[in-house]
Amino acid sequence: MRTRWPLRGRRAAEVLAALAVLAGVGTWAATGDDGPGVARDDRVFEMPEEPGSRQTVRIDTSLFTAGDAAEPRPAVLLAHGFGGSKEDVRPEAERLARAGYAVLTWSARGFGGSTGRIGLNDPEREVADVSRLIDWLAERPDIRLDGDGDPRVGVAGSSYGGAIALLAAGHDDRVDAIAPRVTYWDLAEALFPQGVFKRLWTGILFTTGSTEATTGSTADDPGCGRFLPELCALYERVAVAGAPDEAARHLLHARSPAAVADRIDVPTLITQGQHDSLFPLDQADAMAGAIEANGAPVSVDWVWAGHDGGISEAGRTEERTIDWFDRYLRDDPGADTGPGFRVTRISGFDSTNGSTLLRGASGDAYPGLDGESTAVELTGGEQSFVNPPGGAPPGVSAVPGLGSLARISTLGLGLALDFPGQYASFDSAPLDRTTRVTGAPSVRIDLSSDAESAVLFAKLYDVAPDGGSQSLPAQLVAPIRVDDIGEGRTVDVRLPTIDYPFEAGHRMRVVLATTDLGYASPNEPATHTVSLADPALTVPTAPELVGGSPSLPWWVWGLPLGGAVVAAALLLTGRRRAPAGTAAPVDP
């Protein structure tokens, strides 16, 4: 049975009014025009700091409407990403308002003009704030109702805001449809995939939350910044240990949509980025599977860009969100919600300005990560390789926050390094036909070690016909932790989820490395030995998809040696030129 927040209908209005009187602040409003035909109503709400507390925090909101509605209209709550504020989503809010919705934006606790500590979408804080905002919408005469205290409402947002859309649907059964984008399903698995600490991204996340100033907010602990103390303690503990403990995993899971997986049963449009080492495509796969199992309509859209950069498709995805809400909030049977699955691919380049051209391939149903599989035979004997002391020097795949490398990786180029002696590799024969991988390939290995556990990073490279260059699709790796190795274990390895064409004449190369710049590796030196338990690399495909891109020249997807030199130069110059405090806010 779903959790229901206690504030409903007239009782909600009475309790909110009482809170305002007790706090002595209430709300303030400044209403005016916000672009052609759009009105904006700014209000600050007093919310309990935590359940049962008389202390309050201020939540800064804006309500956007357009035109004179002949009848009450549905509402949309539009959430921002981590490190941002309600101002970031204002253009989309205006677009939704012109489409006939009442759109409520707000700055989450610890961001923008809102006060309070960051709880990483704590159900008793940030999620409860959303429910109280829905209470307020239910009291407005211009909002369509499904019942007393129950407005017709959808929730959309990207990254941090996408997670709150999922959480709101799981905790409050008045939410009718959601459109989460480039977000997480289980934050514990996103930051500690397979028990491996995603050190670089987690550090960026906590540094962002600890250093950015917030209007009216205070922090008793300068080292903690705006996070709740238990989150600060979690990060410090894991960063020192280099690995998550059970308490850390439990806390982050409890604040994730996955914790209420069986309660999210509303129509859901999932948009996830292909170039995203923070929240990879497998996070979207998990949410799609859970929500579909609850009987709700689900569509999945793999866009080109993600947290690692790429080419924005904001105009198209925002328009699709409007169509989604038209169908499930307005009950318009003629609204085109799009295909069950869509993936963005490169179709070529504009010869006039060099810009990258994108097009979509689509199908009626989401194929998942396994798709229609085919087997590609790998060769390579038993190999031994080492985990270096201190995990250094580390290999390189994605480099979070480094836009220059992200832009190169959108073309299939990028800097990917594996140090000799720190990896094992297995190659296929040259492919006799182009094979587009859509999903997560897998391989079975036998692993032994002189240590009781091992941390490995699995990669699938595209090797050019000359054998002298290789590229790493979307710069992605899949971390793996294997415990209790003993005298040896057989391990099923799932490689990164990609949509990528391996051209005829190219080879697939599976690499298992011991280090990666973005992750923590064990400090103790160790020697691992690996061989193929099964020579077949299982490769998922989706041949039923219609559209997509024609074949491109091999050099588009390859990584020439010259490209590696350029990428390395960009890496070095990018670091030198970035003055302190000028990094763009991260949006996890």
Side-chain angles (χ1 to χ4, degrees), residues 92-307:
E92 185 179 0
E94 293 175 349
R95 188 174 185 177
L96 279 161
R98 293 190 186 97
Y101 295 93
V103 187
L104 184 60
T105 66
W106 74 103
S107 294
R109 293 184 182 216
F111 298 109
S114 295
T115 61
R117 298 273 196 162
I118 301 168
L120 290 183
N121 287 332
D122 184 351
E124 295 186 336
R125 291 178 172 85
E126 287 93 344
V127 182
D129 292 343
V130 173
S131 195
R132 294 184 184 102
L133 293 175
I134 295 174
D135 291 330
W136 178 74
L137 288 171
E139 295 302 307
R140 292 182 59 91
D142 58 342
I143 302 299
R144 176 178 168 181
L145 298 180
D146 290 330
D148 184 32
D150 184 2
R152 177 61 62 93
V153 63
V155 190
S158 297
S159 201
Y160 193 56
I164 201 70
L166 289 156
L167 283 160
H171 283 277
D172 193 320
D173 58 9
R174 296 172 298 173
V175 174
D176 299 292
I178 56 175
R181 306 179 197 131
V182 290
T183 192
Y184 56 88
W185 178 246
D186 189 336
L187 189 56
E189 185 60 27
L191 298 184
F192 313 138
Q194 299 295 309
V196 181
F197 178 37
K198 194 176 287 184
R199 178 173 54 192
L200 218 55
W201 266 123
T202 307
I204 292 173
L205 167 67
F206 277 88
T207 300
T208 300
S210 298
T211 58
E212 286 196 2
T214 301
T215 304
S217 67
T218 59
D220 298 328
D221 178 4
C224 186
R226 293 173 288 132
F227 283 104
L228 289 170
E230 62 262 35
L231 293 173
C232 295
L234 179 156
Y235 174 62
E236 291 168 0
R237 193 171 67 246
V238 173
V240 170
D245 51 44
E246 190 56 35
R249 292 186 63 86
H250 176 77
L251 190 154
L252 294 186
H253 174 80
R255 300 185 185 191
S256 300
V260 288
D262 60 337
R263 306 181 196 175
I264 306 175
D265 57 4
V266 299
T268 304
L269 173 61
I270 299 170
T271 302
Q272 202 78 352
Q274 297 178 56
H275 291 82
D276 202 320
S277 59
L278 177 58
F279 303 141
L281 294 170
D282 57 2
Q283 291 282 312
D285 178 74
M287 71 181 73
I291 298 170
E292 281 186 333
N294 294 334
V298 174
S299 286
V300 178
D301 197 323
W302 287 1
V303 295
W304 191 250
H307 285 89

Side-chain angles (χ1 to χ4, degrees), residues 298-497:
V298 174
S299 286
V300 178
D301 197 323
W302 287 1
V303 295
W304 191 250
H307 285 89
D308 294 332
I311 303 163
S312 174
E313 299 172 67
R316 181 186 66 80
T317 56
E318 289 176 12
E319 190 62 37
R320 190 173 183 190
T321 298
I322 292 173
D323 292 337
W324 191 261
F325 287 150
D326 284 349
R327 173 63 185 88
Y328 294 109
L329 296 183
R330 280 213 180 103
D331 298 323
D332 178 3
D336 182 7
T337 58
F341 177 60
R342 183 193 184 280
V343 55
T344 297
R345 295 170 175 171
I346 288 182
S347 62
F349 301 93
D350 189 330
S351 60
T352 62
N353 56 20
S355 62
T356 305
L357 304 178
L358 303 178
R359 63 190 297 183
S362 60
D364 293 335
Y366 172 57
L369 302 188
D370 297 323
E372 182 179 317
S373 64
T374 185
V376 175
E377 186 170 346
L378 299 174
T379 60
E382 183 177 274
Q383 302 170 54
S384 294
F385 54 110
V386 301
N387 181 74
V396 179
S397 54
V399 183
L402 194 59
S404 55
L405 287 184
R407 286 191 293 272
I408 290 177
S409 71
T410 63
L411 302 179
L413 308 177
L415 176 64
L417 299 176
D418 300 299
F419 286 95
Q422 295 183 20
Y423 69 92
S425 65
F426 304 93
D427 284 14
S428 74
L431 299 173
D432 57 9
R433 58 186 176 82
T434 296
T435 302
R436 179 176 282 275
V437 178
T438 302
S442 61
V443 65
R444 175 168 286 189
I445 63 168
D446 287 327
L447 175 68
S448 61
S449 177
D450 60 8
E452 281 302 306
S453 63
V455 170
L456 303 177
F457 301 95
K459 315 176 188 184
L460 180 62
Y461 282 102
D462 177 5
V463 182
D466 62 4
S469 60
Q470 62 183 20
S471 62
L472 183 63
Q475 301 296 109
L476 295 176
V477 303
I480 307 156
R481 183 179 183 90
V482 183
D483 293 318
D484 303 321
I485 295 176
E487 295 182 358
R489 289 188 59 179
T490 298
V491 182
D492 289 315
V493 176
R494 172 159 274 192
L495 293 153
T497 303

